[in-house]
Amino acid sequence: MPRIHRKPDLDHPAPDKRGLLAHGDGVAPHRHTEGQLLYPSTGVLATTTDRGTWVTPPNRVTWTPPGFEHYHRAYGRTDVRVVEVPGALCASLPDRPMVFTTSPLLREALLVLTGGRELRPDARARLREVVVDELVDVPDETLHLPEPDDDRLRAVTDLLHADPATPSTLAELGRRVGASERTLSRLFATELGMSFQRWRSLLRVQHALVGLAEGDAVIDTATRLGWANPTSFIEAFTAIVGQTPGQYRRELRRRDG
């Protein structure tokens, strides 16, 4: 459970706001009557619901629809920009939590809405509509780590959460939880919509996003999280995040500066 951090008031509704979270700070489980967009202009923000965890670096924005219980945790010094989405606009967005790619226009609109600038109500409403329009066509599920309902599969994912770097095969993990490799492979596909290898790779990349945000070197991150070599890590990271680990670190440093 993340440490509760109340100062930014991220768990209370307000039209548009901004909050600074220190590394490790969190916001306790809560829900909203309206939709909520969270954009970390610096740092990394994790949002967790009963459907899984979304890790959001500065090139993504997290969408949480009305009514979903969720909580947050920050990694690194995180400048969180929050935009509340009225019910009338929520219908244009997915009815489940999601991560979106942050286009240049979307990023600038979010920064203006949350930057403290005085805006006429009609101008603010139009800018919020621009944000929603930018989101409609750019959903990005690559940073969503789904969580299972099946007890056998959850036992396996719990082992992987505890040790993302483990080289254990699915068959070896299955023997530890009392389930066959075939059964677990089927459950990964039917419950989580991906293979065991893909789920573990995504888990490791989520940990890598956090480690790199904290200043870890690329090679050290690859070793710590169990990749066979840095090249394998770079390829997996780039496929999921859309940029190399080195590019991601440079972008974080630029925005923090």
Side-chain angles (χ1 to χ4, degrees), residues 111-126:
L111 293 179
V112 170
L113 282 169
T114 58
R117 174 180 167 185
E118 286 292 332
L119 294 171
R120 299 188 313 276
D122 58 335
R124 184 172 291 277
R126 287 195 298 271

Side-chain angles (χ1 to χ4, degrees), residues 67-98:
F68 273 87
E69 184 173 87
H70 59 287
Y71 63 87
H72 308 294
R73 182 167 182 172
Y75 296 93
R77 182 179 179 274
T78 303
D79 183 353
V80 185
R81 309 301 184 100
V82 184
V83 172
E84 299 290 336
V85 180
L89 291 177
C90 289
S92 300
L93 297 174
D95 61 359
R96 64 190 187 281
M98 187 171 287

Side-chain angles (χ1 to χ4, degrees), residues 28-32 47-51 64-71 97:
H30 62 282
R31 63 182 75 226
H32 302 280
T47 300
T48 301
T49 76
D50 60 359
R51 299 193 181 190
T64 306
F68 273 87
E69 184 173 87
H70 59 287
Y71 63 87

Side-chain angles (χ1 to χ4, degrees), residues 5-256:
H5 187 105
R6 292 290 184 186
K7 186 176 180 181
D9 237 12
L10 301 183
D11 55 347
H12 292 151
D16 307 301
K17 55 198 171 186
R18 177 183 184 182
L20 288 175
L21 296 174
H23 173 69
D25 279 346
V27 179
H30 62 282
R31 63 182 75 226
H32 302 280
T33 57
E34 295 190 334
Q36 189 181 73
L37 295 167
L38 290 103
Y39 169 60
S41 61
T42 62
V44 176
L45 187 71
T47 300
T48 301
T49 76
D50 60 359
R51 299 193 181 190
T53 297
W54 288 256
V55 171
T56 311
N59 60 357
R60 301 292 201 278
V61 59
T62 296
W63 159 244
T64 306
F68 273 87
E69 184 173 87
H70 59 287
Y71 63 87
H72 308 294
R73 182 167 182 172
Y75 296 93
R77 182 179 179 274
T78 303
D79 183 353
V80 185
R81 309 301 184 100
V82 184
V83 172
E84 299 290 336
V85 180
L89 291 177
C90 289
S92 300
L93 297 174
D95 61 359
R96 64 190 187 281
M98 187 171 287
V99 171
F100 292 86
T101 300
T102 308
S103 69
L105 176 58
L106 175 59
R107 179 177 187 272
E108 292 306 314
L110 292 169
L111 293 179
V112 170
L113 282 169
T114 58
R117 174 180 167 185
E118 286 292 332
L119 294 171
R120 299 188 313 276
D122 58 335
R124 184 172 291 277
R126 287 195 298 271
L127 191 54
R128 192 177 284 108
E129 290 174 358
V130 169
V131 167
V132 172
D133 285 343
E134 279 292 286
L135 291 173
V136 169
D137 296 325
V138 288
D140 182 356
E141 288 283 44
T142 57
L143 294 181
H144 171 221
L145 186 70
E147 294 296 340
D149 292 321
D150 185 274
D151 290 341
R152 295 162 296 179
L153 192 56
R154 184 172 290 276
V156 169
T157 58
D158 284 348
L159 290 172
L160 294 171
H161 277 297
D163 183 13
T166 179
S168 299
T169 65
L170 187 57
E172 291 168 340
L173 292 169
R175 285 194 288 273
R176 293 176 64 180
V177 304
S180 71
E181 179 181 13
R182 180 176 180 180
T183 295
L184 292 172
S185 180
R186 174 179 55 80
L187 288 170
F188 267 102
T190 57
E191 280 210 21
L192 304 182
M194 62 184 68
S195 68
F196 161 69
Q197 290 80 8
R198 170 71 178 180
W199 194 95
R200 178 159 63 180
S201 183
L202 181 52
L203 172 69
R204 289 175 172 178
V205 166
Q206 285 198 347
H207 280 265
L209 286 167
V210 172
L212 293 169
E214 294 173 352
D216 294 350
V218 172
I219 292 177
D220 293 342
T221 301
T223 301
R224 177 174 58 84
L225 292 174
W227 268 283
N229 54 67
T231 299
S232 298
F233 165 53
I234 292 169
E235 290 175 348
F237 188 97
T238 304
I240 290 172
V241 180
Q243 57 187 167
T244 68
Q247 291 169 333
Y248 170 72
R249 288 192 73 212
R250 287 192 293 274
E251 183 175 329
L252 289 178
R253 287 198 297 269
R254 176 176 61 80
R255 295 187 178 185
D256 286 341

